[in-house]
Amino acid sequence: MTASPHPAPGARAVLESSPDALLVVSEDGIIRLVNAATERMFGYARGELVGQDHRMLLAEGFRSGFHRLFFALRKDADAAPGLPPVEAYGVRRDGTEFQGEVACSLLVQDTGDAPMSMAVAVRDTSHRLAADAGLREALSLLSATLESTADGILVVGGDGRIASVNNQFISMWGVPRELLATQDDDAVMGFVLDQLVDPAQFVEKIAALYADPASESHDVLDFHDGRTFERYSRPQKVADRVVGRVWSFRDVTPARIAQDRITQAMADLAEQAAQLKALAFQDPLTGLSNRQLFNDHLEAALRGPCGTAVDVLLLDLDDFKEVNDILGHHAGDQLLIEVGRRLRECVRPNDVVARLGGDEFVVLLVGSLDPGMVAERIVASLKVPLWIDGTMLRPSLSLGLASINEDAVDASELLRRADIAMYAAKAAGKNRYLRFRPEMMKSLVERTELEAGLRLAVDAGQITVYYQPIVSARSGVVVKVEALARWERGGEIVPPAQFIPAAERSGLIVEIGTEVLLKGCTELRPWLAEDPSRALAVNVSGVQLQHGDFAELLLAVARSTGVDPRQLVVEVTESVFFHDDVHVIQQLTALRNTGVRVALDDFGTGFSSLGRLQGLPVDTLKIDQSFTAMIHTGDEKLPILSCMIAMAHGLGLSVTAEGVETAAQAEYLIKLDCDSLQGYLFSRPQAGPGLRSAIARSNDAFAALLGVRVPGPR
Ligand code: C2E
Ligand code: CA
Ligand code: CA
């Protein structure tokens, strides 16, 4: 009896509700049984299928495998009850085809000798087709992306061999395609390493990553040809399992060059800014701080903790103008630079040293224990002589020291006090330091009042003239008088030392000088007229000579007062000859052409030397009183003095000695062949009305001198 292919009722329910098409096909290929899913899948009614050849359900090309399958199943029947599913194409009743998966197994029979049948399960896999298409699309998208990215990509398999590269990788690294085709990975690696500045680092990184397959990395590679790549590496994973490694390389050379340029530009800018800042706060000549920076530091120091000592040392070079005038601006600059250097050496590195302008410097000491000692050190430091352009200079300075104290002063007041102390130091004889004392305010007020009062004094005719006789050593009589300005101020006589400097600063000296000249000529005309060998000497400041019309003015005054120009002497100091303008020389030369004589006043002070005298429009040398003062007993050897007089004579100049106060000095100078003598020994300067008797006293004094010299009976 043939086993019925019709299942029992319980099994039938399972069969009918199966989502897969289930069929039983007998060994002759005839369909014996189908379920509901078969009807749905193929579009036939059950009756149209049972008893028909199974091949009606298969698409062309898939209809011949049945016997082979049957044979294979029967052969392995014991070992495996089925075969793996196969792909096949089915054909529906309407002729359309679909892809499906067919699984077969032998139908287990109740009795061993029954004819063989095969159970067939068919599953429609059309849905997979859609999924495959999606996968293919995704793959093509991936490869298109890989090829269009600017990154070079290298994939290395789990076995360490190159699995794939994109075109960009090949062109970035310049790997020849033939080399890649050889699949000789070591050769490719060698080719890569040759291009790198640091191949060892490249290899190390790879080793480190293979030791830790799940890790990611990012680093930068530098090439011999100047290029820079960024290197990224991440593991290639399939379902959490690392199966290889993806390397991507990005050429960041342009970005790096741009970045380098930016960095350089920023550095340049920063340097420029620093230079500008330094310039804004630096004195260009000495490199010291400037006024602005000093003020900032001073303000900050005063805002600092209470009780901290703050000292301001204001200083000004003595007679700096002369250095500039006589030796030139270059020498002046050299001196200022040297002073700046010495100042720095006198203070701690953090103390602020600034140049305020001209020859004025300032030092700020914060927390100094002994500012007086620093001030002393500064004054002493300048005593060391220095050589500039072959001339030895011994600069000196006057320094004012002001400190913050209980009456808590602000920055500007502190500076003002230092300034007052500095002026006091100058007034006290220069080349020293003085600490500010409140009494100094008084002299400051006096000074300001003096300057204001001077103009009024000129207008009010308070400038008068005193005369001092000058005795000829040869004839023993007064042949010359020097006109010296005086200021009659409210019944007291102000000496010129107190107002001439102020008059020179304000320019009032021009009017004062003219006044002295006019009064001198007017008052002395009768005395001069008595003897043509008599002369009147007037002091002329450099400021006056810088006015172009001085020579004309002097001659006009001489004419209007009836004084012969040959009876006039102008006394100038050495410094007037070293002003930049040739104007001064021209004027003095013009005056000498009319018979006016020129005397060089205060000779031996300042910075000039006998060597410079040659060729100057000068007739007389007036030896400064400081040289006369060197004569005490008359027995000392003073080669400087004898040398000066001899040299002057050698140059054809006459010599007058100033400040002769004692007979010993007069005798000494006469012995040295000095031509004229001037000083208190003969007469102090006298007002016009007292001049005649002063001259008589001078003549007597000289005669008495001779009396001492000529031994005779007592
Ligand atoms: P100076 O031209 O060297 O004038 C000589 C100064 O020495 C005068 O001082 C005079 O009084 C003083 N003197 C004369 N003999 C002796 C002495 O034996 N011992 C001492 N210790 N001193 C003596 P004075 O009159 O005070 O003048 C001071 C300076 O003021 C002058 O020095 C001159 O440079 C300047 N000066 C005076 N009058 C004028 C003027 O009208 N114009 C200009 N530009 N400067 C003037
Ligand atoms: Ca003089
Ligand atoms: Ca003099």
Side-chain angles (χ1 to χ4, degrees):
M1 200 188 134
T2 309
S4 169
H6 303 288
R12 171 163 290 275
V14 174
L15 194 70
E16 289 305 324
S17 57
S18 162
D20 292 339
L22 298 174
L23 305 91
V24 173
V25 180
S26 54
E27 196 169 5
D28 53 3
I30 301 300
I31 300 168
R32 297 295 169 187
L33 185 132
V34 297
N35 67 349
T38 312
E39 290 175 299
R40 280 197 305 276
M41 195 178 289
F42 290 92
Y44 290 100
R46 200 175 297 229
E48 292 173 298
L49 291 172
V50 175
Q52 301 301 318
D53 192 307
H54 75 279
R55 282 176 295 192
M56 69 181 287
L57 298 179
L58 290 168
E60 270 215 39
F62 292 93
R63 291 177 181 159
S64 59
F66 182 72
H67 288 292
R68 235 183 315 121
L69 208 59
F70 217 96
F71 176 77
L73 280 172
R74 213 167 16 200
K75 186 163 158 263
D76 286 343
D78 300 330
L83 288 173
V86 293
E87 295 278 329
Y89 272 81
V91 59
R92 300 192 187 90
R93 184 171 200 230
D94 61 8
T96 56
E97 296 182 356
F98 66 93
Q99 195 183 19
E101 199 177 66
V102 183
C104 305
S105 61
L106 281 180
L107 195 64
V108 181
Q109 304 290 341
D110 296 338
T111 49
D113 56 345
M116 286 291 192
S117 291
M118 188 162 67
V120 180
V122 182
R123 177 170 293 174
D124 186 340
T125 57
S126 319
H127 65 279
R128 262 193 228 158
L129 220 57
D132 282 359
L135 197 63
R136 270 203 299 277
E137 197 181 304
L139 272 173
S140 89
L141 185 70
L142 188 66
S143 88
T145 309
L146 279 181
E147 289 306 338
S148 62
T149 175
D151 294 352
I153 290 170
L154 164 74
V155 181
V156 180
D159 55 0
R161 301 198 62 80
I162 293 173
S164 81
V165 295
N166 68 352
N167 285 324
Q168 189 61 22
F169 176 86
I170 294 167
S171 69
M172 278 169 71
W173 286 92
V175 184
R177 284 187 185 276
E178 317 79 69
L179 184 65
L180 270 180
T182 60
Q183 304 217 331
D184 181 350
D185 288 359
D186 289 342
V188 174
M189 180 63 117
F191 186 85
V192 162
L193 290 180
D194 277 352
Q195 304 180 52
L196 296 173
V197 173
D198 189 355
Q201 174 229 342
F202 185 90
V203 174
E204 262 167 41
K205 191 68 164 193
I206 294 177
L209 287 176
Y210 282 100
D212 182 6
S215 62
E216 299 186 8
S217 82
H218 170 220
D219 62 350
V220 172
L221 307 173
D222 289 315
F223 282 62
H224 288 304
D225 64 7
R227 287 183 302 159
T228 304
F229 283 8
E230 277 180 354
R231 172 169 66 168
Y232 296 90
S233 176
R234 44 186 307 148
Q236 183 198 1
K237 289 182 183 172
V238 172
D240 279 350
R241 199 165 61 83
V242 176
V243 298
R245 182 160 279 282
V246 181
W247 299 88
S248 79
F249 301 89
R250 179 167 299 177
D251 187 349
V252 292
T253 315
R256 198 215 62 222
I257 290 172
Q259 184 59 47
D260 287 355
R261 286 207 187 114
I262 290 170
T263 311
Q264 186 57 45
M266 298 288 278
D268 290 352
L269 267 178
E271 197 187 308
Q272 277 174 25
Q275 276 172 1
L276 277 176
K277 198 177 155 201
L279 279 182
F281 294 112
Q282 206 182 49
D283 169 46
L285 178 66
T286 59
L288 297 174
S289 307
N290 65 8
R291 182 185 290 273
Q292 160 100 53
L293 188 58
F294 171 81
N295 285 341
D296 291 351
H297 279 286
L298 179 57
E299 294 280 358
L302 293 178
R303 279 196 307 270
C306 204
T308 308
V310 177
D311 306 285
V312 171
L313 285 65
L314 189 71
L315 55 104
D316 183 288
L317 296 184
D318 298 328
D319 309 316
F320 175 69
K321 199 177 159 302
E322 295 210 352
V323 177
N324 251 348
D325 287 348
I326 296 171
L327 298 177
H329 287 282
H330 173 73
D333 285 353
Q334 295 305 108
L335 177 60
L336 291 174
I337 291 168
E338 176 62 12
V339 169
R341 205 186 58 73
R342 292 190 185 183
L343 286 178
R344 274 249 63 100
E345 279 182 352
C346 290
V347 299
R348 298 165 299 182
N350 285 340
D351 293 328
V352 178
V353 179
R355 177 170 169 235
L356 299 182
D359 58 338
E360 204 175 41
F361 295 83
V362 67
V363 176
L364 173 66
L365 302 177
V366 179
S368 170
L369 297 176
D370 194 351
M373 207 180 70
V374 178
E376 238 165 56
R377 202 185 305 148
I378 288 175
V379 173
S381 82
L382 281 210
K383 289 196 177 137
V384 180
L386 73 139
W387 289 86
I388 290 174
D389 297 341
T391 303
M392 191 189 79
L393 298 184
R394 269 174 196 277
S396 73
L397 57 81
S398 302
L399 189 155
L401 165 60
S403 312
I404 188 168
N405 50 24
E406 302 77 48
D407 58 334
V409 289
D410 64 12
S412 64
E413 177 62 15
L414 203 56
L415 263 173
R416 202 172 80 93
R417 290 184 178 188
D419 191 50
I420 291 166
M422 185 185 82
Y423 268 94
K426 280 216 188 290
K430 305 179 177 176
N431 195 18
R432 70 194 60 212
Y433 96 88
L434 284 181
R435 184 185 276 279
F436 172 80
R437 276 177 284 109
E439 309 88 84
M440 289 174 178
M441 294 291 249
K442 204 171 136 263
S443 53
L444 174 82
V445 170
E446 284 169 6
R447 202 178 74 206
T448 335
E449 280 177 356
L450 180 118
E451 283 175 21
L454 194 54
R455 167 150 289 283
L456 297 172
V458 175
D459 295 342
Q462 290 176 5
I463 303 298
T464 57
V465 186
Y466 276 36
Y467 304 93
Q468 188 176 32
I470 299 170
V471 187
S472 158
R474 211 143 284 128
S475 64
V477 293
V478 174
V479 289
K480 208 186 288 177
V481 293
E482 178 177 359
L484 294 159
R486 295 289 181 268
W487 178 4
E488 281 181 11
R489 191 188 192 194
E492 88 182 293
I493 300 292
V494 183
Q498 280 181 31
F499 66 88
I500 294 289
E504 287 184 321
R505 276 198 300 275
S506 64
L508 264 181
I509 190 68
V510 176
E511 290 170 49
I512 293 175
T514 309
E515 182 78 3
V516 170
L517 181 67
L518 195 62
K519 278 201 173 139
C521 286
T522 311
E523 291 182 350
L524 286 203
R525 199 198 92 85
W527 181 73
L528 291 170
E530 288 168 19
D531 183 346
S533 69
R534 290 177 179 170
L536 166 67
V538 289
N539 293 284
V540 176
S541 143
V543 180
Q544 288 168 273
L545 284 168
Q546 276 157 20
H547 283 252
D549 55 358
F550 176 75
E552 284 167 43
L553 181 117
L554 185 131
L555 294 173
V557 169
R559 245 192 330 274
S560 72
T561 52
V563 170
D564 185 344
R566 286 172 296 187
Q567 289 184 290
L568 290 177
V569 178
V570 295
E571 295 194 2
V572 296
T573 52
E574 300 154 287
S575 61
V576 303
F577 293 111
F578 301 97
H579 282 293
D580 286 339
D581 61 67
V582 287
H583 220 74
V584 172
I585 305 242
Q586 279 171 358
Q587 301 220 44
L588 292 175
T589 310
L591 283 175
R592 285 178 86 216
N593 290 340
T594 66
V596 174
R597 276 163 293 162
V598 177
L600 199 54
D601 210 351
D602 303 339
F603 187 78
T605 61
F607 299 95
S608 69
S609 65
L610 282 164
R612 292 185 205 271
L613 280 175
Q614 198 145 21
L616 289 184
V618 170
D619 303 278
T620 304
L621 213 64
K622 293 192 78 176
I623 294 178
D624 188 70
Q625 32 184 283
S626 58
F627 292 93
T628 307
M630 294 192 288
I631 308 165
H632 296 290
T633 60
D635 293 328
E636 50 271 273
K637 292 227 178 315
L638 296 168
I640 243 191
L641 213 47
S642 47
C643 194
M644 251 186 213
I645 294 168
M647 279 273 283
H649 284 160
L651 289 166
L653 307 177
S654 66
V655 179
T656 302
E658 299 185 304
V660 181
E661 293 182 350
T662 66
Q665 291 170 338
E667 284 179 10
Y668 194 101
L669 289 159
I670 290 169
K671 249 188 273 168
L672 287 182
D673 206 14
C674 190
D675 302 282
S676 312
L677 307 173
Q678 178 182 5
Y680 294 170
L681 174 66
F682 306 103
S683 172
R684 291 185 174 255
Q686 292 293 324
L691 182 60
R692 292 270 179 184
S693 52
I695 289 173
R697 274 200 310 279
S698 299
N699 291 341
D700 291 350
F702 194 87
L705 202 61
L706 288 176
V708 172
R709 280 173 70 214
V710 180
R714 279 280 151 101

